[in-house]
Structures are given as structure tokens and as C-alpha cells.
């Protein structure tokens, strides 16, 4: 995207939410990038900014005590706005960016799509590209963009590890094959993953097994389609900002499950979303015609239900969890409460307890429901879902899943808990 739009550079001085100014500026359809305050002059100049915004938090604001900021400061003729002591909102930024600096408002979803397709085409040429489809919004958008850019040169592999939610694999396959005409390869590897996971109960071991097996399957698939030249990755902008920007740093693997395949030499990575925030990715998804169920999908961890099924995983336990989870998620959506939580899901606890159904004793599983609100996933608060909703969900789950006789609601925040149970 660089230099195709009037650009604002935000210098991040360690503000508490270093991405806030960028998000506000982008809502004005103005393109901006965040650089660390230590970025040197060449790195800033390479973006040819028309305006510079200093994003400073309380922690570093003391540096200006006793100094009156200059009126209308500039650096090498580029106007600078210091956000210290100013609200980071459109009311502050609009007059500076649009009236004072005259920036063009040409950063739109449509312009992004056009430019991303052009860039992928220019990078890939007539070579082959490989993409790991997870069914999440990032890889879905990457797949559609790459397919529009290079068509059949794209090989799209969906490794189905058997740890997906209810009906998810079928939805992914039908959307991308039928709606978009992408030759998605559905690798049914459930038996293979569950085989490797037999007897594994330690959470870290489980993650490791799932991650390693994923890479192995993916490498086999890559070899089968004949050594691809490029790998498409759904890296998004917060990944880049949080790792200090992409200026000259080695490429960091952000893959959901286990990092880059180790035994394939790619000529390069294609990362079409690396300047987008998550909300922007969702807007692009909708503009590309990706269904809302995928475009607005809540984050789902790479190891899938593996981190939500406590203890040893079996197909039976995963099926029980899938049913309970689907009932809970459907009820939250039906109540119009999905915006209240960033993640909401069920966990199959390893606990079994005594119950009674139709006058007969049962000794079956306890399921836990969890819903959290978070802005950065580093801390999170549990959501106070209405008791009526929880009651309905509990009744539905126990009525339709005979292997569950107890439903509990997780009322812990992060910290001290984590969002996932394992
Ligand atoms: P925790 O449980 O650490 O989760 O509070 C924070 C966020 O990260 C997601 N998560 C993962 N995502 N691979 C992923 O791609 C993982 O191994 C993994 N573990 C946790 C979790 O869903 C939440 O959004």
C-alpha cells in the first residue's frame, strides 16, 4: 500500500493503546502506518508522510513537563500533531488531517481490494502459491484475494484435524468451492490427529502434538501439489506493530498452529493483510461476498477444540463438546448478544458428576460455558450474560446431549484465568 495513498505516520512512544490513533485515522479513510518512536529518518521518509502524529501515553508524557509545545510544529516541512493531552478521536484528528494537512480520503475497502489483487499478481507472476485455509476470516480473505489475483495458480489446503466446531468443515468447503470456485483441498485428517493424541492429557503436550502434526500434513500436501513458490499468510497489522514493524526485520511466523513449514523452501511470503486491522479485514471479507458467519467469526485458536476438551481427547468427547458449543453459540446469537463478547464457547471439563434423568441415576460430563470481553486478548473480563439466557442454554444442552448432566458458567476474568481452559 505504501506511497499509493496520502500517508500519515504515527510515531508510537509506548502509549497504552498504540493502535488507537491508527484505528481512528483509518475510519476517516486516510491511510496511516504506526512506527516505533525509535524509527530513523530514512524509515519515516520512505513512507513520504503528509502528516506525523505523535502517540504518547501517560507513561512517557512527563518528558514535556514545563515545555510549551510549539504551535503548528513541523519536521522537514511535514506537519506534526502531538496527541499528548489531546483526545485520540476523530474530533481531534479530522481538522488536523483533513483541513490543515489536506489529506485525501481515498483509503477504502474497495481501493484496498483492487490494490491487494494487483500486488499479489505482481509478486507471484506465473508461479504457484500455497495457502493454508483455517476457515477463519483472515485466511478466508487471503484465499479470495489470491484466487482473484492468480486463479488456478493458487493451491488452497484445508487441514481438517477433527478439532473444528460443529458443521465448520462442511461450511468452509461449500463456501469456498461453491461460492468462490476455489479448488479447496479438504484433507480429512481427524483419525490421524486423534491417533497421535491418544493418551495425551498434558495441555502443552497436546498443543505440541497438534502443531507438529499440522505442519507434517501441510508439508505432505505441499509436496503432493508440487513445490509451491510462495506461501500466503494471513498476518494482520497488530502482529506487525507488536513485533516492532516490518522495516527490515526478519519475517516472523504468525501461523495459527505451528509456524512455517520447516521442510519447504518458499521463494517468499505473500501477506496481503499485513496493513489491516481485524475490523478492516472483516469489512473486506463482507465486500468480497464472504458470508457473515465467516466474516464476523469470533477468534478460534489454532489447536481448535483441543484446548477446550480437557484431558484425553476422543471423538466421542469432541462430538459431545461440539453439540453443547453449538447450542450455546446459537443462543447467544439468537439473543442478539454476540457483540457483547469477543469470544463465547463451551468447554468439556474432564469432570463427571452424579445426576438424575427420568428417575434414573446418571454419571456424565460437566460442561462449562465461557464468554469474555477483551480489547487485546491479554486481559479479559467475563461477560455477565443474562441469567435467563444461561438457564435456557442449560436446559437445552442437558435435554439434547445425554452425556451432559451439569452446566456451569465460568465467572473468572483474565488474569488470573486465561481465556481458554488449556
Ligand atoms: P488465552 O487462553 O491465552 O488466549 O487467554 C488468548 C487468545 O489466544 C487464543 N489462543 C490461541 N490462538 N493458537 C491460537 O491461534 C493457540 O495455541 C492459542 N491459544 C489461545 C485464545 O482463543 C484467545 O483468543
Amino acid at each position: 500500500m505504501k506511497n499509493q495513498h496520502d500517508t500519515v505516520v504515527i510515531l508510537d512512544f509506548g502509549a497504552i493503546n498504540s493502535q488507537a490513533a491508527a484505528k481512528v485515522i483509518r475510519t476517516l479513510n486516510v491511510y496511516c502506518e504506526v512506527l516505533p518512536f525509535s524509527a530513523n529518518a530514512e524509515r519515516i521518509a520512505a513512507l513520504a508522510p503528509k502528516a506525523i502524529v505523535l502517540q504518547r501515553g501517560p507513561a512517557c508524557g512527563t518528558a514535556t513537563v514545563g515545555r510549551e509545545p510549539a504551535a503548528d510544529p513541523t519536521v522537514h516541512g511535514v506537519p506534526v500533531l502531538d496527541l499528548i493531552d489531546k483526545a485520540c478521536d476523530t474530533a481531534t484528528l479530522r481538522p488536523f488531517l483533513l483541513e490543515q494537512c489536506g489529506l485525501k480520503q481515498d483509503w477504502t475497502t474497495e481501493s484496498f481490494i483492487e490494490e491487494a489483487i494487483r500486488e499479489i499478481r505482481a509478486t507471484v507472476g506465473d508461479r504457484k502459491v500455497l495457502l493454508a485455509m483455517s476457515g477463519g476470516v483472515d485466511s478466508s480473505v487471503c484465499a479470495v484475494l489470491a484466487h482473484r489475483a492468480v486463479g488456478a495458480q493458487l493451491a488452497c489446503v484445508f487441514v481438517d484435524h477433527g478439532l473444528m466446531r460443529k458443521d465448520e468443515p462442511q461450511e468452509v468447503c461449500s463456501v469456498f468451492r461453491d461460492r468462490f470456485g476455489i479448488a479447496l483441498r479438504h484433507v480429512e485428517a481427524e483419525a490421524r490427529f486423534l491417533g497421535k493424541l491418544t493418551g495425551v492429557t498434558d495441555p502443552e503436550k497436546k498443543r505440541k502434538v497438534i502443531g507438529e502434526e499440522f505442519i507434517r500434513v501441510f508439508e505432505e500436501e505441499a509436496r503432493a501439489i508440487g513445490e509451491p513458490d510462495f506461501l500466503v499468510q494471513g498476518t494482520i497489522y497488530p502482529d506487525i506493530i507488536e513485533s516492532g514493524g516490518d522495516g527490515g526485520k526478519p519475517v516472523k511466523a504468525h501461523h495459527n498452529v505451528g509456524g512455517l513449514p520447516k521442510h519447504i523452501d518458499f521463494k517468499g511470503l505473500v501477506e496481503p493483510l499485513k496493513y489491516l486491522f481485524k475490523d478492516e479485514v472483516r469489512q473486506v471479507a463482507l465486500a468480497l461476498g464472504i458470508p457473515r458467519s465467516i466474516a464476523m467469526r469470533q477468534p478460534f485458536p489454532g489447536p481448535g477444540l483441543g484446548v477446550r476438551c480437557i484431558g484425553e481427547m476422543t471423538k466421542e468427547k469432541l462430538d459431545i463438546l461440539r453439540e453443547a458449543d453449538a447450542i450455546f453459540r446459537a443462543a447467544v446469537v439468537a439473543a442478539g448478544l454476540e457483540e457483547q463478547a469477543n469470544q463465547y464457547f463451551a468447554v468439556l471439563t474432564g469432570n463427571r458428576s452424579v445426576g438424575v434423568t427420568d428417575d434414573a441415576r446418571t454419571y456424565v460430563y460437566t460442561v462449562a460455558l465461557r464468554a469474555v470481553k477483551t480489547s487485546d486478548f491479554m486481559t479479559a473480563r467475563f461477560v455477565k450474560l443474562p441469567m435467563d439466557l444461561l438457564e435456557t442454554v442449560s436446559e437445552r444442552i442437558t435435554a439434547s446431549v445425554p452425556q451432559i448432566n451439569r452446566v456451569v458458567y465460568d465467572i473468572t476474568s483474565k488474569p488470573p484465568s486465561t481465556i481458554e481452559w488449556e
Side-chain angles (χ1 to χ4, degrees), residues 148-376:
R148 282 213 192 160
V150 297
Q153 288 158 248
L154 170 71
C156 205
V157 176
F158 171 44
V159 177
D160 182 354
H161 47 24
L163 306 170
M164 307 292 282
R165 289 168 294 189
K166 191 179 178 190
D167 297 334
E168 220 160 30
Q170 294 76 3
E171 186 192 17
V172 169
C173 290
S174 81
V175 165
F176 293 99
R177 284 181 187 155
D178 304 343
R179 188 180 292 211
F180 291 102
I182 296 174
L184 180 76
R185 183 154 161 61
H186 179 189
V187 186
E188 295 183 38
E190 178 185 55
R192 185 170 165 168
F193 276 82
L194 291 186
K196 291 275 174 193
L197 288 162
T198 305
V200 181
T201 54
D202 176 71
E204 287 312 303
K205 182 86 195 298
K206 274 194 204 174
R207 273 170 198 273
K208 200 158 176 281
V209 169
I210 296 167
E212 283 178 6
E213 200 57 17
F214 183 92
I215 295 292
R216 210 149 293 144
V217 175
F218 192 60
E219 282 174 349
E220 287 169 17
E221 291 301 315
R223 249 176 252 122
I225 58 164
E227 302 291 317
D229 302 286
F230 291 92
L231 180 72
V232 187
Q233 280 212 139
T235 312
I236 63 169
Y237 202 31
D239 301 333
I240 303 267
I241 295 176
E242 281 152 25
S243 61
D246 67 339
K249 282 208 157 198
V251 176
K252 192 175 161 230
H254 289 285
H255 191 273
N256 262 352
V257 181
L260 292 172
K262 298 177 194 74
H263 306 297
I264 311 173
D265 278 332
F266 292 104
K267 291 197 173 65
L269 289 178
V270 175
E271 297 179 292
L273 313 181
K274 73 175 182 175
Y275 291 109
L276 294 193
F277 290 107
K278 196 77 177 187
D279 288 350
E280 294 171 325
V281 178
R282 296 193 197 282
Q283 290 309 315
V284 171
L286 292 172
L288 289 170
I290 291 172
R292 281 192 84 77
S293 56
I294 293 177
M296 307 314 276
R297 205 179 87 141
Q298 56 169 306
F300 186 58
L305 298 181
V307 292
R308 298 179 182 171
C309 183
I310 310 307
E312 184 182 8
M313 276 181 291
T314 60
K315 178 151 170 48
E316 190 212 1
K317 282 170 76 178
L318 288 163
D319 284 341
I320 295 169
L321 173 56
R322 269 188 272 268
E323 287 303 319
D325 180 65
I327 291 168
F328 178 44
R329 286 187 295 115
V332 171
V333 172
L337 293 173
E338 71 268 37
E339 306 261 302
Q340 306 286 311
N342 299 91
Q343 278 182 290
Y344 50 100
F345 53 85
V347 175
L348 190 68
T349 74
N351 183 63
R352 286 191 291 166
S353 69
V354 175
V356 57
T357 302
D358 298 333
D359 292 333
R361 179 186 186 273
T362 59
Y363 184 61
V364 289
Y365 290 108
T366 300
V367 81
L369 308 178
R370 182 134 177 80
V372 295
K373 188 83 186 157
T374 174
S375 55
D376 57 6

Side-chain angles (χ1 to χ4, degrees), residues 207 256 301-303 343 377 414 418-420:
R207 273 170 198 273
N256 262 352
Q343 278 182 290
F377 297 90
K414 173 184 179 178
T418 50
I419 295 173
E420 305 292 348

Side-chain angles (χ1 to χ4, degrees), residues 4 9 24 36 56 106 121 180 196 272 392:
Q4 296 179 21
V9 162
V24 173
R56 301 202 269 174
D106 59 0
R121 221 172 258 153
F180 291 102
K196 291 275 174 193
T392 305

Side-chain angles (χ1 to χ4, degrees), residues 90-126:
T90 45
T92 304
L93 290 164
R94 179 187 284 275
F96 171 69
L97 299 175
L98 306 187
E99 287 150 34
Q100 188 180 331
C101 304
L103 283 136
K104 284 205 285 288
Q105 293 176 280
D106 59 0
W107 166 252
T108 61
T109 304
E110 290 68 31
S111 72
F112 168 81
I113 292 173
E114 256 174 51
E115 288 156 21
I117 291 172
R118 224 173 19 225
E119 277 183 28
I120 297 171
R121 221 172 258 153
T123 307
V124 171
D126 57 4

